[in-house]
Amino acid sequence: MRPYRLSIVASEDPYPSYRAFRDRDPAHYSPPEDVWVLTRYKDVEDAFRDWRTWSSGRRGNLLNDMPERIGRTLGTTDPPDHRFARGLVEKTFTRRTVERLSAKIDGLAAKLAGEARERRRIEMVRDISAPFNASILGAMFGLPEQDFLRLRRWLDDFFLREEGAVGEETPQARAMRNLSRYLDSVAGDRLERPSDDLMSMMLRADAGGRKLSREQVVITTMTFLTAGFESTNNLFTNLAHALALHQAVYRRVRRRPELVPDFVEEGMRWDAAAQGFVRCPTRDVAMHGKTIPAGAQVLLHIGSANRDERVFPDPDRLEIDRQRKRHLGFGKGIHFCVGAPLARLMAQSLFERLLGASRVWEVDLDGASRVETPNFRGFSVLPLRIREG
């Protein structure tokens, strides 16, 4: 078999290749990328659950992760540090936090859908995803919408894995530096003038006299913003693309909006926004006749696991009535996505409103562009025609 390449995630249809890896080489080593790739559901799920063997704190959770991130974010730490930090974050980012945003989310979704109906032809990222995220994530952290939209370039660049010119910063390192500087300034302001936003609450949160440091709050906020923007943008564009490819599903869900939550869950399984995260074995691991050495970079391939026919019958079919909904789109185990309830609510509200505003749903793939990051799959540009008929 040809070795796994990071660029496959941005291809039009990588799923037949994923199937080949599952069938023929489920514990695959790619010499050109220097990464091991686990592609079967059980292997990926087991590794997510077993943090003692599969560490997030040794090499980070993104492919070729930046040393500046490792050990400083929720996604790049192991217990006990992870348990302490997550406990304080969960004190502030609660179900009630999401519920308080519900009216704002639905109102904004209705507004954006109405504007889309009037325009008839929109660009999904520019006209829907970016302003939706700017308003909701900005409200959560008390950031002005105009600031959030200005930060978008840094949020996009954060997940790139490009080599910089000799003597120059890489785009991702520059993005992290700029985001850190901006958010540190915001944190300083919150310490002087606390508010009811999540950054203020994280700065105040206390666990037996132990608190998050200012740096930890800045890094955690950065993680929320980058992961929140990238994941939900890719979720929204992948769902829009899936509806265009499956007109029968589109017509059914439009007629029966109560099916939108099922469509969102199945869409996350069928074309996962987060295609995989890295773990590092703390010991040699024997698997499928091979030995993955301690210290290796291992990609737990969510995109492939979610299409594993050993778990999901007829996995390449988008089936909203599917009984087994245990996809890995939000991860598993101690690193299960803290923002999952918010992402689900945003997606469900947005698509209920967009579907209610349409009788035609078509994407222009000739004018579309995919994101080019090795961990995420979605579109950076997705023209969409949406009108009443």
Side-chain angles (χ1 to χ4, degrees):
M1 291 184 66
R2 292 182 179 179
Y4 183 90
R5 302 308 299 255
L6 302 187
S7 58
I8 191 175
V9 173
S11 63
E12 183 57 33
D13 184 8
Y15 292 100
S17 295
Y18 295 170
R19 177 187 285 266
F21 283 115
R22 288 195 303 272
D23 290 345
R24 297 163 55 189
D25 195 6
H28 169 80
Y29 177 66
S30 170
E33 306 291 7
D34 190 22
V35 63
W36 289 79
V37 186
L38 303 185
T39 48
R40 290 186 182 175
Y41 184 99
K42 185 178 186 306
D43 296 334
V44 172
E45 182 184 44
D46 287 349
F48 273 134
R49 291 183 182 278
D50 182 6
W51 58 266
R52 290 178 175 82
T53 301
W54 301 95
S55 167
S56 300
R58 299 197 176 191
R59 299 193 64 151
N61 67 341
L62 301 178
L63 284 157
N64 304 318
D65 216 336
M66 292 177 284
E68 300 92 333
R69 292 186 68 245
I70 299 171
R72 299 172 68 197
T73 74
L74 284 181
T76 64
T77 52
D78 299 320
D81 290 341
H82 176 269
R83 189 176 298 117
F84 158 70
R86 182 165 182 129
L88 286 183
V89 170
E90 287 179 339
K91 280 187 175 182
T92 59
F93 191 72
T94 63
R95 182 176 298 277
R96 183 172 297 179
T97 305
V98 175
E99 290 172 351
R100 283 201 302 265
L101 288 168
S102 179
K104 182 178 180 67
I105 287 171
D106 191 59
L108 182 57
K111 176 177 178 292
L112 292 171
E115 292 172 353
R117 179 178 55 208
E118 293 299 318
R119 293 178 188 174
R120 298 191 176 191
R121 183 180 174 87
I122 61 171
E123 198 280 289
M124 187 71 183
V125 180
R126 180 194 64 223
D127 299 326
I128 301 291
S129 181
F132 199 35
N133 276 301
S135 182
I136 303 306
L137 293 176
M140 287 174 58
F141 291 96
L143 307 180
E145 290 184 34
Q146 60 269 25
D147 278 16
F148 193 96
L149 291 171
R150 182 167 59 85
L151 300 177
R152 181 183 162 191
R153 175 63 183 271
W154 299 336
L155 298 174
D156 287 338
D157 287 352
F158 185 83
F159 291 100
L160 293 175
R161 289 297 175 265
E162 296 179 357
E163 297 293 332
V166 176
E168 292 185 4
E169 279 185 304
T170 62
Q172 57 269 30
R174 183 167 56 250
M176 184 170 179
R177 176 173 54 80
N178 287 329
L179 284 166
S180 296
R181 182 180 299 165
Y182 171 81
L183 293 173
D184 185 69
S185 174
V186 175
D189 181 71
R190 296 295 187 273
L191 286 168
E192 293 183 7
R193 292 177 290 277
S195 182
D196 60 352
D197 61 90
L198 281 183
M199 182 178 272
S200 295
M201 288 191 284
M202 283 192 290
L203 287 165
R204 295 195 301 265
D206 184 291
R210 189 179 177 192
K211 303 177 72 172
L212 293 172
S213 68
R214 176 170 169 170
E215 181 191 38
Q216 286 176 305
V217 171
V218 167
I219 292 293
T220 301
T221 301
M222 185 191 310
T223 301
F224 266 110
L225 294 179
T226 52
F229 181 83
E230 192 73 16
S231 296
T232 55
N233 174 70
N234 293 330
L235 171 60
F236 300 157
T237 55
N238 285 350
L239 291 175
H241 180 229
L243 285 176
L245 294 182
H246 300 86
Q247 288 290 312
V249 173
Y250 159 71
R251 290 189 293 270
R252 185 179 177 206
V253 177
R254 186 183 60 76
R255 288 194 305 268
R256 297 183 57 193
E258 70 273 15
L259 293 176
V260 168
D262 289 327
F263 161 67
V264 170
E265 292 302 308
E266 174 66 353
M268 282 192 284
R269 181 203 67 81
W270 187 77
D271 199 12
Q275 288 277 295
F277 291 108
V278 164
R279 295 293 186 266
C280 175
T282 57
R283 56 175 175 80
D284 291 355
V285 177
M287 184 175 289
H288 300 295
K290 299 182 178 182
T291 299
I292 302 176
Q297 179 175 222
V298 182
L299 178 63
L300 309 186
H301 208 303
I302 292 170
S304 173
N306 280 351
R307 294 269 193 120
D308 191 344
E309 57 282 352
R310 295 159 188 81
V311 175
F312 303 102
D314 197 8
D316 297 328
R317 178 181 172 83
L318 183 72
E319 178 52 71
I320 61 175
D321 295 322
R322 190 177 295 278
Q323 295 302 303
R324 185 182 177 96
K325 302 183 187 298
R326 289 173 50 195
H327 65 78
L328 300 175
F330 290 121
K332 206 69 154 183
I334 65 170
H335 289 285
F336 183 80
C337 178
V338 175
L342 179 64
R344 284 186 166 114
L345 179 61
M346 289 176 69
Q348 291 168 12
S349 183
L350 179 62
F351 278 85
E352 284 176 10
R353 293 295 186 171
L354 285 174
L355 287 163
S358 73
R359 294 295 183 275
V360 171
W361 190 282
E362 298 173 347
V363 298
D364 173 15
L365 289 179
D366 290 335
S369 298
R370 286 195 173 273
V371 298
E372 296 183 358
T373 60
N375 292 90
F376 293 92
R377 176 172 170 79
F379 293 86
S380 57
V381 177
L382 186 67
L384 175 67
R385 190 162 72 97
I386 173 176
R387 59 184 175 84
E388 286 192 290

